[in-house]
Amino acid sequence: MDRYNFRSIEEKWQKYWEDNNVFKTTIDKSKKKFYCLEMFPYPSGKIHMGHVRNYTIGDVLARYKGLQGYNVLHPMGWDSFGMPAENAAKQNNLDPKIWTEKNIENMKSQLKKLGLSIDWSREISTCSEDYYKHQQNFFLELYKKKLVYRKENYVNWDPVDETVLANEQVIDGRGWRSGALVQRKKLNQWFFNISKFSQDLLDELENLDNWPNKVKTMQKNWIGKSFGCEINFDVEGDIPIKNIKCFTTRPDTLFGFSFLALSVDHEISNFYKDDKDFLKFRDECSKTGTTEEAIAVAEKIGFKTNLVAINPLNTKEKVPVYFANFVLMDYGFGAVFGCPAHDQRDFDFAKKYDLKIKTVVKPNDEDETFQVLDKAYTGPGVLINSDFLNGLKTPEEAVIETIKIIENKKLGKKQINYRLKDWGVSRQRYWGCPIPIAYDENNNPHPIPKSMLPVKLPQNINLNTKGNPLDKETVWKTTIIDGKKMTRETDTLDTFVCSSWYYLRFCSPKNQEYGFDKDEIDYWMPVDQYIGGVEHAILHLLYSRFFMRALSHENKNINLKEPFNGLFTQGMVCHETYKDPDNNWVSPDEIEIIDGKKYLKKDNSKQITVGSSESMSKSKKNTIDPENIILNYGADAARLFILSDSPPEKDVQWSEEGITSSFKFIQKLWILNSKILDEIKSDHKNDADHEIEKYTNKFLKKVTENLESFSYNKIIANLHEVYSFLIKKISSKYTRKTLINNYKKILITMMPVVPHLSSECLNLINAKEIHWPEYNENLIKEEIAKIVIQINGKKRGLIETEPNLPENNLMKIINKDEKILKYLDGKKIKKKIYIKNRLINIIL
RNA sequence: GCCCUCGUGGUGAAAUUGGUAGACACAAAGGACUUAAAAUCCUUGCCGCUUGCGGAGUGCCAGUUCGAGUCUGGCCGAGGGCACCA
């Protein structure tokens, strides 16, 4: 019996698939389509286990759908613009393009070794001119539709990467890539008007039935809709300002008004720009900015103006106006009215500056003497101390009533606000898609004419400069449009723009005229199943949803809002962490096991401490290189293991034992195959066929259901079960025809998981016409019912009977069963609950 | 602080959606084969008297039900998301 030579067999099939263009796809309107897409990788140089998991999950689905007869689109490409290339290029003094292309070459060959069913003829790379010229065209289309605009704005400035970051790229006050503390800086920036679609982006979440609720909730919170009203407060004081607009969700608490707070960037700050104390205060605020600690400690500080604001519902009441560090300029109107009794933040501020705290809401279970003392009350209740509003139920009734009153008195109006802000897309970087704009001598922007696209990145430039290298390219910067000399925009686009439409490009990757072909996207879009990491729950997925809307906006040819019909977010790959006695992280490769204990390979005196299992990361050195795994165990074993044990949406623990066990299972399946080949050399008459028919059909049902529900870990369990069955029953003398038929079906179900082994075995049994096997419900029907006997809800026995046995007949059997009679003990039966074919519960 | 998700053997997990808890796998222990080892196969969730049998058992406490891992309420714990959003 020969050993399974995974290397030659995997290579053979990969070559066969490639040479025969097995996964090449074209439109075929006679067939139902299935667009299976995994998030495309950044070409960092090598694939990691996260990729292996992501692409294995996608491949299982793509192959399954293909076997079912769908016309499957399963492409792959490269998210190849971005800072790592630029940084690597700087360090090694080479061209980012060359660095990137080399990485792509390498990663592509690694991915191919995984045996993925990818149509490589559709490969795209976002850094190629062929890709970004269409992106520039889209930018100009959006510009024309006024969905792109330029404004001066405070930005999140990353001092290490010397670039602007989107709010979403600032994590805990630090740059998401560099980890540097983010600063505030005012710059001219390009923006995509994503907030125009806030309501629609929110509404359509409801219809995304095949998205995880988790992701929908995150997006919902991110969009952050709130209902309230704007109120125009009259003010009096020493500057020529008559009123200040505020946004509030709690107008019902207006009688608890005790101060008005402004953002330091509010237009009123212009009157204080010569006030040294104010400037000092403003500095103080920008320092506490967005850092983690600052928010945690979050001391509320204010700067008192000489203004007073008048309560519009009680004009006798005048309260002080402050600038305060907790008021944001880019939400609402940069001004809030303070009601300390019913907002914790206002409460803290009032305590600090000794402002009035007037209770105007009492909880439902309190009486009217209720007073807010050491903590704001933000819950529901009834309005008190509020004159004509007294007795209203809050918040629902009271908010609506108050808004009506405010509208009638023309003091303000109903208003809906969103937290979602427009998407700043300008980046001060070389390695990105150039923004196709040029400026005239008055600094007015002009689109680059379509005929002059693409605006190509200059090559062979000096990257070792501070700030944006494109700024220094004086020759490149200068251009002539309509005979006028102009200066190019030197900012490039955020790389999230590239990934916002790549799913469209895959439909027609070769179209030179436009980013995609209408016929092609009409057939292929939307993506039926999108698979990737949950880390993109907000940024990438929201941007893509926006981009699809932006392209469809005012465009009769495209009527598509949602790019991804189904979304699946897979968990991470984790591994134990190791440290040496000096507290340094140690990689699994550097460890040797002696007598069950782990030691440092190069120094056996040093014992390793084993830490918790965490997601694989270079910094903790707990990574496993997929290339080595494929080399030593094969792609099928790697695929099998990455799907085993844990459900795909949860984290999976990588372990040496696990991959070894998967490797062994592949070997076992191969031995089984050899035995079956022996077995089918002769035929049998003995009619044991029914057994295998039945088992196979039950198995097919389970596997099919598990595939449909992404329960891929259960499929592996099913494969173990079917193996155990076959290896035991192989000599049961099934007729040759039946054995081959059923074995063929089983092998086909293995195709999505272990395609090389499965293809080889199918070939060896000379199987033709390979398509997903249907199961026959009639063959699955149970011929024996196992009925649990419960006495007073406790399991006391198990009886095997014919199916659908009437209760009377069952009781006859029970009455002959000594074990059970022991429990009945002649007692009177009060009640019987009989669930056919399942259980009977006898209550005494 | 707010929002979401999840708590099942030593470990990763299953459980026909309210009906035999622990499928499948990893680890450990014991056993078989072997001169021996490797490989392979079998047995074992826990507590008790030890073929068998009995008991407890799905984070904790209540509730609904003939019956709860599954449903309801309250607590405890873990993970994730958001960050002064008015």
Side-chain angles (χ1 to χ4, degrees), chain A residues 615-730:
Chain A
S615 75
M616 288 188 181
S617 78
K618 279 180 195 154
S619 62
K620 286 174 187 146
K621 287 199 173 179
N622 61 339
T623 55
I624 299 288
D625 183 7
E627 192 158 23
N628 283 333
I629 296 296
I630 293 170
L631 197 67
N632 294 324
Y633 300 96
D636 281 345
R639 294 168 63 113
L640 188 65
F641 174 65
I642 206 83
L643 297 170
S644 298
D645 289 348
S646 291
E649 69 276 12
K650 286 180 75 174
D651 288 355
V652 66
Q653 311 293 324
W654 184 274
S655 71
E656 190 65 26
E657 293 84 4
I659 184 69
T660 312
S661 136
S662 295
F663 178 75
K664 284 179 190 165
F665 187 52
I666 301 274
Q667 297 293 343
K668 286 189 197 172
L669 288 170
W670 181 249
I671 292 166
L672 173 69
N673 188 67
S674 307
K675 288 189 175 172
I676 287 180
L677 291 179
D678 275 350
E679 195 66 25
I680 58 178
K681 278 178 194 156
S682 52
D683 205 348
H684 299 284
K685 280 183 196 163
N686 194 340
D687 193 7
D689 287 4
H690 183 60
E691 183 185 42
I692 189 171
E693 291 276 14
K694 195 174 149 186
Y695 192 92
T696 307
N697 276 278
K698 276 164 87 172
F699 165 79
L700 291 177
K701 184 174 188 210
K702 277 193 266 183
V703 173
T704 306
E705 285 172 355
N706 288 333
L707 270 161
E708 291 292 338
S709 63
F710 273 107
S711 305
Y712 295 171
N713 54 323
K714 289 190 234 165
I715 292 173
I716 311 303
N718 298 148
L719 293 181
H720 279 282
E721 281 165 343
V722 82
Y723 164 81
S724 298
F725 174 83
L726 288 176
I727 203 83
K728 275 179 207 144
K729 300 287 182 175
I730 189 73

Side-chain angles (χ1 to χ4, degrees), chain A residues 92-144:
Chain A
N92 307 313
N93 203 23
L94 42 81
D95 192 331
K97 190 174 176 177
I98 291 166
W99 183 85
T100 304
E101 282 169 356
K102 213 180 97 209
N103 286 347
I104 289 175
E105 208 47 48
N106 189 39
M107 285 174 76
K108 188 173 166 183
S109 97
Q110 289 185 318
L111 287 181
K112 283 191 171 175
K113 284 181 190 147
L114 269 174
L116 304 173
S117 61
I118 283 167
D119 179 359
W120 283 104
S121 73
R122 291 176 184 261
E123 180 181 3
I124 58 173
S125 176
T126 59
C127 74
S128 71
E129 286 164 19
D130 197 36
Y131 185 85
Y132 73 67
K133 74 175 181 195
H134 302 296
Q135 187 162 311
Q136 290 174 342
N137 184 42
F138 289 144
F139 181 96
L140 295 177
E141 278 186 19
L142 266 54
Y143 184 69
K144 216 175 185 176

Side-chain angles (χ1 to χ4, degrees), chain A residues 79 130 135 198 235 245 362 403-404 441 503 642 699 747 840 842:
Chain A
D79 189 12
D130 197 36
Q135 187 162 311
S198 297
V235 292
K245 249 189 215 175
K362 71 165 190 70
I403 292 174
K404 272 187 201 157
E441 53 212 354
Y503 48 88
I642 206 83
F699 165 79
L747 284 175
I840 183 160
I842 301 168

Side-chain angles (χ1 to χ4, degrees), chain A residues 182-326:
Chain A
V182 170
Q183 298 170 348
R184 276 159 51 91
K185 200 172 173 180
K186 215 168 189 182
L187 275 182
N188 252 318
Q189 300 282 300
W190 287 98
F191 285 85
F192 282 0
N193 189 9
I194 186 169
S195 64
K196 183 187 176 85
F197 299 100
S198 297
Q199 187 63 48
D200 193 46
L201 287 166
L202 184 66
D203 291 344
E204 292 295 322
L205 283 174
E206 302 270 339
N207 301 325
L208 294 173
D209 296 329
N210 297 316
W211 277 42
N213 284 327
K214 182 173 61 172
V215 174
K216 289 197 274 188
T217 310
M218 280 162 74
Q219 292 212 354
K220 193 178 162 205
N221 292 340
W222 193 262
I223 294 165
K225 181 179 181 176
S226 54
F227 173 83
C229 80
E230 70 170 66
I231 303 178
N232 211 358
F233 289 85
D234 287 338
V235 292
E236 293 169 357
D238 55 1
I239 54 167
I241 285 287
K242 288 275 180 320
N243 45 55
I244 298 173
K245 249 189 215 175
C246 294
F247 171 73
T248 178
T249 54
R250 294 298 302 274
D252 55 319
T253 63
L254 204 45
F255 279 95
F257 180 40
S258 74
F259 66 92
L260 197 148
L262 303 170
S263 158
V264 289
D265 299 318
H266 195 275
E267 55 174 351
I268 289 177
S269 70
N270 288 328
F271 295 103
Y272 292 85
K273 62 186 174 208
D274 299 323
D275 183 330
K276 276 185 195 145
D277 291 333
F278 175 72
L279 294 176
K280 212 175 129 192
F281 173 76
R282 194 162 68 175
D283 270 2
E284 201 64 30
C285 292
S286 69
K287 259 186 228 159
T288 49
T290 49
T291 71
E292 200 176 1
E293 297 89 335
I295 290 161
V297 191
E299 201 196 348
K300 315 270 176 285
I301 51 171
F303 177 87
K304 198 171 178 211
T305 67
N306 293 324
L307 295 171
V308 288
I310 296 157
N311 188 335
L313 297 186
N314 176 10
T315 49
K316 275 177 264 169
E317 202 166 24
K318 297 181 180 181
V319 304
V321 176
Y322 286 82
F323 287 102
N325 64 339
F326 60 83

Side-chain angles (χ1 to χ4, degrees), chain A residues 381-483:
Chain A
V382 176
L383 291 184
I384 53 171
N385 305 323
S386 295
D387 199 346
F388 50 88
L389 297 179
N390 280 341
L392 287 176
K393 277 193 195 119
T394 185
E396 304 82 11
E397 186 190 18
V399 169
I400 290 166
E401 277 307 307
T402 318
I403 292 174
K404 272 187 201 157
I405 293 166
I406 287 167
E407 285 184 334
N408 284 338
K409 295 193 174 188
K410 299 209 163 34
L411 300 165
K413 60 176 192 235
K414 187 172 92 180
Q415 164 116 15
I416 286 161
N417 261 6
Y418 302 89
R419 282 177 44 187
L420 183 66
K421 286 168 211 144
D422 279 343
W423 173 17
V425 293
S426 293
R427 295 292 179 274
Q428 291 66 46
R429 280 278 151 184
Y430 165 71
W431 192 234
C433 170
I435 294 175
I437 293 284
Y439 301 94
D440 62 25
E441 53 212 354
N442 299 319
N443 207 25
N444 294 317
H446 297 268
I448 304 283
K450 215 183 158 177
S451 61
M452 291 171 75
L453 295 184
V455 176
K456 295 181 187 175
L457 279 175
Q459 284 186 309
N460 304 318
I461 75 162
N462 178 20
L463 291 171
N464 280 307
T465 56
K466 280 267 170 190
N468 186 353
L470 286 175
D471 239 356
K472 321 283 187 295
E473 292 297 303
T474 41
V475 175
W476 176 83
K477 265 167 76 174
T478 311
T479 183
I480 290 167
I481 295 172
D482 297 337

Side-chain angles (χ1 to χ4, degrees), chain A residues 50-83:
Chain A
H51 293 130
V52 174
R53 194 169 196 208
N54 194 172
Y55 301 140
T56 301
I57 292 169
D59 199 48
V60 167
L61 183 63
R63 284 180 180 270
Y64 167 59
K65 289 290 172 184
L67 286 165
Q68 277 192 322
Y70 285 87
N71 190 22
V72 175
L73 175 57
H74 188 211
M76 183 58 72
W78 310 96
D79 189 12
S80 51
F81 267 138
M83 288 194 302

Side-chain angles (χ1 to χ4, degrees), chain A residues 745-768:
Chain A
K745 286 178 185 171
I746 291 163
L747 284 175
I748 294 171
T749 65
M750 287 164 43
M751 189 87 103
V753 179
V754 285
H756 310 89
L757 175 76
S758 167
S759 300
E760 181 68 14
C761 294
L762 281 165
N763 199 34
L764 288 171
I765 62 163
N766 207 15
K768 303 274 183 303

